[in-house]
Each structure stands twice: as structure tokens, then as C-alpha cells.
Amino acid sequence: MLYVVDHPLIKHKLTIMRRIDTGPKEFRELLREITLLVAYEATRHIEVHEIEVETPLEKTKGYYINDKDIVIVPILRAGLGMVDSILELLPNASVGHIGIYRDPETLRAIDYYFKIPRLNDKSEIFVLDPMLATGVSAIDAVSKVKQVGAKRITFISLISSPEGVEALEEVHPDVDIYTASLDRQLSDHGYILPGLGDAGDRLFRTK
Ligand code: URA
């Protein structure tokens, strides 16, 4: 299921991120901020446990999240820009890494790195990529984490294309997608329109 997290703060911040003249420092900060806002919704389903808490006045019921069960998996490179904000929310989460790039000719996914912490039945996986474009990398990343035992998987992006959402939902209908914006379409070169350009290049100033 696709969830577009619709909020004035997200709309405002995403508009600044899209701008051609927004530099890497501001781009990184906005990516972190928007990720945090989207993650707030994307984590709504995670398990909470009851716990007794003693206030200065009396004992009462409280809640805690076992964030050691949370595994965040950024797709390299651009997913790296989303890690810190999720770790701010869930500081004991583990971080796995998946390196995938798109072959510019075939647009197929090429894997070059895979390192995921040990998973168990309670593991709650969040795969991160700011751009859900063709869906090729997302499908590949989700397939890879399923191969090592992941059962509960959520995909978080900032901008998604209708084509990418459709492709990911077709192959992995059990994976919920949380995004800040569903944009118009993919270009012939696999870029999202209107999008924000190449998120990795803008984050790391590689162009
Ligand atoms: N990856 C990006 O960084 N931008 C796009 O528009 C598509 C894929």
C-alpha cells in the first residue's frame, strides 16, 4: 500500500529541496528533516510494549519500543542521507547497507555491496532510498533482505514515481511504501519528473 505523507511542513521543505539552486548543505539538512517527518508516519505500526513508570506523584502505565528490533537499510548512495534522522528517532536500530546502481544503458540493478545485521522474527525492516524511480533498485533491495529472512518490510522514500510504485507493489505487495510526494512520471532516462535531479549527486556534490 502507498502512503503519501501529506503535511504542510513536508510540502514546504520538499519544495526547497527540489530547487536547482539549493546547495548540498541545505539539501542534506532538508533530506534529514523530511525523512524524520515521513518516518514518524512510517513507524506507526511498530510494536509498543507496556511498562510501569513511576512519575514524581505515582506509578502509571507507560510504553516502550524495543528499537533493537529495528533494522534500517539505506540503498547506497543516496539512502545514506536518511540514516541519521531515523537513528535520532530510534537510536538502537541496526543499520544494514545495500549497494546497488542502475546500469545507465539497461536501467537494470547491479549489486555491489550487501551487509545486513542478523535478523529474527521480530525484525522490523525499513529500506531507505530518497528516490523511488524505476523501482528496479527498490525491488532488488527488498528481494535481498527477504532472502536473508526479513518478513516485515517498509519502504521509505521522499519522491516516488507512479511507475516505481506500481513496479514495487507488483513484485512485493506485502511491502508498504511511505513517501513525501508522488510525482508525475519517469523520464526516458529513469529520472523522476519533476523530481529533484540526482539525489546522490546533490547530497555528495559529485556533479
Ligand atoms: N535517482 C535519482 O537520484 N533521481 C531520480 O530522479 C531518479 C533516480
Side-chain angles (χ1 to χ4, degrees), residues 24-39:
K25 177 172 185 290
E26 204 178 358
F27 190 90
R28 276 194 293 271
E29 287 165 0
L30 289 161
L31 176 55
R32 277 209 308 274
E33 289 167 12
I34 300 171
T35 300
L36 201 134
L37 295 167
V38 175

Side-chain angles (χ1 to χ4, degrees), residues 12-173:
H12 169 75
K13 288 174 186 292
L14 191 57
T15 301
I16 304 172
M17 261 189 104
R18 289 182 193 273
R19 274 194 207 137
I20 191 169
D21 54 356
T22 296
K25 177 172 185 290
E26 204 178 358
F27 190 90
R28 276 194 293 271
E29 287 165 0
L30 289 161
L31 176 55
R32 277 209 308 274
E33 289 167 12
I34 300 171
T35 300
L36 201 134
L37 295 167
V38 175
Y40 176 77
E41 284 299 326
T43 51
R44 201 174 268 287
H45 65 284
I46 64 178
E47 202 176 350
V48 283
H49 305 273
E50 283 188 11
I51 189 175
E52 192 179 70
V53 59
E54 197 171 344
T55 78
L57 300 175
E58 61 179 33
K59 286 185 177 161
T60 185
K61 190 163 72 175
Y63 303 91
Y64 78 96
I65 294 165
N66 191 356
D67 56 357
K68 289 190 178 135
D69 291 337
I70 308 284
V71 180
I72 57 177
V73 183
I75 301 178
L76 305 181
R77 289 180 295 167
L80 288 175
M82 304 169 75
V83 170
D84 284 352
S85 59
I86 300 203
L87 287 178
E88 266 172 48
L89 294 174
L90 298 160
N92 295 304
S94 321
V95 185
H97 294 86
I98 299 189
I100 303 171
Y101 69 89
R102 265 175 318 158
D103 183 302
E105 300 297 320
T106 63
L107 300 185
R108 288 181 51 193
I110 313 283
D111 303 335
Y112 63 91
Y113 191 75
F114 185 74
K115 179 92 181 168
I116 301 288
R118 194 184 299 275
L119 305 179
N120 59 48
D121 281 352
K122 291 193 171 260
S123 297
E124 190 75 60
I125 321 295
F126 292 89
V127 178
L128 313 176
D129 191 336
M131 310 301 279
L132 173 54
T134 60
V136 170
S137 308
I139 290 168
D140 192 67
V142 171
S143 301
K144 284 256 147 48
V145 292
K146 281 186 176 174
Q147 276 164 24
V148 293
K151 299 212 165 45
R152 296 191 275 195
I153 306 169
T154 304
F155 192 88
I156 304 183
S157 72
L158 253 60
I159 301 185
S160 299
S161 73
E163 295 88 338
V165 170
E166 194 185 325
L168 181 56
E169 283 185 331
E170 193 180 325
V171 182
H172 296 296

Side-chain angles (χ1 to χ4, degrees), residues 175-193:
V175 173
D176 283 335
I177 304 167
Y178 282 80
T179 193
S181 174
L182 181 63
D183 274 15
R184 191 180 73 246
Q185 68 181 90
L186 269 190
S187 76
D188 292 343
H189 299 286
Y191 280 91
I192 300 177
L193 299 173

